[in-house]
Amino acid sequence: MTNSLRPNGDRRAPLPPAQSSADGVPSPRSPQSPQKKQNGKQRDAFFDNAKYLAIVLVAMGHAWEPLKGDSRVLEAAYQVVYAFHMPAFIIISGYFSRSFDMRPDRLKRLITGVAVPYIVFETAYPLFKRFIDNDPHQEISLLDPWYLTWFLCALFIWRLTTPIWKMARWPLPLALGLAMLATVSPEIGDDLDLQRVLQFLPFFVLGLVMKPEHFHMVRRRSVRIASVPVFAAALVFSWWAVPRMNTAWFYHRDAAQELGAPWWTGPVMVLAMFGCSLVLTACFFAWVPRRHMWFTALGAGTLYGYLLHGFLVKAGDYQGWFEPTWMHQPLGEIAVTVAAAAVVTALCTKPVRRVFRFAMEPKMEWAFKRDAAEVARERQSAERREREKATVG
């Protein structure tokens, strides 16, 4: 998410995953899924579809940001989208992190699929600003996530703490408690964007405790039908709330005091927005197709679309692409929305993933010692083959 209240959104902003999961989220697999395979693993079309549709909403929201100040309707749609698109993504990330432990191969994947892309793009975005925005003094800091990279930082921390949440007796209430405490703690500061890490944490923990039947529940026909008036009501309420509510609450990056609100509103807003986000996320999941669609394969490349579309959005911001008057008219807003969806779709395709795989999914075998257990298994396998050959001979 970009920062609409702070210049250039340099310190804030969002998502993620699949294939060998460049973002560190395990590839969605299901024994009930159709015979669509990638890297020899079955994938559940529902989750790939959900990730693709969520990343499209992310790109659309970023494209709306320079325009929404001139349109109350667009601002209302922006708030509704921001209420659920990242929660949906984070819930899926948590759901596919349930098997995470400190096994060496999983830690390697976390480093190559999350930590390395974080370092690369946390460096690339400030350099891009230096060049495109003619700002040679733009700092590079790995401790202060820049624009979209906050999600990678948060995901790294969430994944590392997964064993703790799996061990806790009441993980979700505990995560909500931490989020509520964060909203009354402005002294947390900007390091590693810990406000977002803590305030979005309940959605990740919710994903960890969810089971397949929970996703089946929201995909029932009755839920799909009910979601239509729910979304309509959310849009109407959001339109009413535009002049009355600070949009920054949806970014989950600041304490209540930093938003000019009494301290007690922080915990109240955490619970209220958590409930609203869950309802809208359930409505979103209800309309996600379960079958294989033309865009299903793009769900494997959502991290690429997520991280790369930010350069285009920022270039437009720096170069004044959003300034023409026609863009701030209804037809212009529609054109920008369609363009954002088309661009992020293209960035999720295989050709783009092949070009940028070195940064998103580096192999880096040279950087790690071989797991002793893996070496022992290979040795045993080789010895078994030798014995079989000797027996045959």
Side-chain angles (χ1 to χ4, degrees):
M1 288 178 280
T2 52
N3 187 338
S4 60
L5 301 180
R6 299 180 184 178
N8 300 320
D10 293 348
R11 308 213 169 202
R12 313 284 184 218
L15 72 266
Q19 204 163 328
S20 263
S21 243
D23 65 339
V25 179
S27 302
R29 299 182 293 277
S30 169
Q32 290 84 24
S33 55
Q35 297 302 311
K36 300 293 179 183
K37 294 188 178 183
Q38 184 171 319
N39 294 339
K41 298 176 181 178
Q42 289 184 332
R43 302 180 62 88
D44 189 326
F46 169 80
F47 291 105
D48 276 334
N49 292 338
K51 288 187 298 173
Y52 166 75
L53 294 174
I55 205 63
V56 168
L57 291 173
V58 168
M60 288 166 50
H62 290 159
W64 290 345
E65 201 156 315
L67 311 176
K68 64 185 178 65
D70 298 321
S71 172
R72 186 170 176 177
V73 172
L74 192 63
E75 178 84 28
Y78 178 88
Q79 289 187 355
V80 171
V81 166
Y82 265 64
F84 74 88
H85 70 351
M86 280 312 296
F89 223 124
I90 295 169
I91 286 172
I92 293 175
S93 298
Y95 180 72
F96 286 104
S97 297
R98 293 172 301 162
S99 62
F100 181 82
D101 53 27
M102 295 300 178
R103 215 172 67 185
D105 61 326
R106 288 174 176 154
L107 288 174
K108 284 183 194 176
R109 189 175 176 185
L110 183 62
I111 292 170
T112 59
V114 180
V116 171
Y118 172 76
I119 294 171
V120 170
F121 284 87
E122 182 67 6
T123 303
Y125 271 116
L127 290 177
F128 183 76
K129 187 177 190 301
R130 286 186 185 183
F131 178 74
I132 300 298
D133 198 31
N134 192 26
D135 182 7
H137 302 294
Q138 174 62 47
E139 295 182 354
I140 299 174
S141 172
L142 296 181
L143 294 179
D144 192 5
W146 202 96
Y147 193 35
L148 304 177
T149 59
W150 74 267
F151 179 75
L152 295 176
C153 180
L155 183 60
F156 187 84
I157 295 173
W158 293 334
R159 293 291 302 281
L160 280 181
T161 60
T162 293
I164 298 175
W165 300 111
K166 291 164 60 178
M167 181 177 60
R169 178 169 293 180
W170 300 292
L172 186 56
L174 178 58
L176 282 169
L178 289 174
M180 294 165 69
L181 286 174
T183 62
V184 298
S185 306
E187 61 275 9
I188 286 179
D190 293 332
D191 288 351
L192 300 180
D193 231 345
L194 286 179
Q195 278 288 354
R196 269 184 171 148
V197 172
L198 293 173
Q199 291 191 39
F200 275 114
L201 175 63
F203 298 104
F204 182 82
V205 173
L206 176 62
L208 284 176
V209 301
M210 287 183 71
K211 298 178 180 179
E213 51 265 33
H214 295 136
F215 288 98
H216 291 300
M217 288 172 60
V218 300
R219 283 146 56 178
R220 292 180 299 186
R221 178 180 174 83
S222 58
V223 178
R224 192 177 302 115
I225 294 173
S227 66
V228 176
V230 169
F231 266 121
L235 286 168
V236 171
F237 177 81
S238 183
W239 184 88
W240 173 84
V242 164
R244 299 172 174 84
M245 180 178 176
N246 190 341
T247 303
W249 284 108
F250 293 94
Y251 303 148
H252 298 282
R253 63 162 179 251
D254 297 300
Q257 298 93 320
E258 294 174 292
L259 297 179
W263 69 268
W264 57 266
T265 60
V268 171
M269 288 298 290
V270 165
L271 294 177
M273 295 194 70
F274 182 73
C276 292
S277 295
L278 284 189
V279 171
L280 292 177
T281 299
C283 293
F284 169 70
F285 284 150
W287 279 96
V288 172
R290 285 173 282 182
R291 63 184 185 279
H292 190 82
M293 308 290 288
W294 65 267
F295 54 79
T296 301
L298 300 178
T302 48
L303 182 66
Y304 292 79
Y306 171 68
L307 290 173
L308 294 174
H309 88 276
F311 289 104
L312 296 176
V313 173
K314 281 301 179 185
D317 185 21
Y318 301 150
Q319 300 297 310
W321 296 352
F322 297 100
E323 293 178 2
T325 304
W326 69 269
M327 282 193 176
H328 297 259
Q329 303 300 322
L331 289 179
E333 293 165 357
I334 293 173
V336 169
T337 301
V338 173
V343 167
V344 78
T345 297
L347 294 176
C348 293
T349 58
K350 286 185 178 180
V352 173
R353 284 150 52 190
R354 280 196 294 267
V355 172
F356 290 97
R357 184 161 288 141
F358 75 95
M360 309 279 199
E361 301 175 88
K363 296 297 184 182
M364 294 184 62
E365 297 296 335
W366 53 269
F368 302 103
K369 294 180 179 179
R370 295 200 64 190
D371 181 18
E374 181 182 352
V375 173
R377 285 194 297 269
E378 291 182 358
R379 186 184 304 116
Q380 291 175 356
S381 178
E383 291 175 352
R384 186 169 57 254
R385 286 196 298 270
E386 290 297 328
R387 287 195 300 269
E388 290 174 352
K389 289 180 181 178
T391 302
V392 174

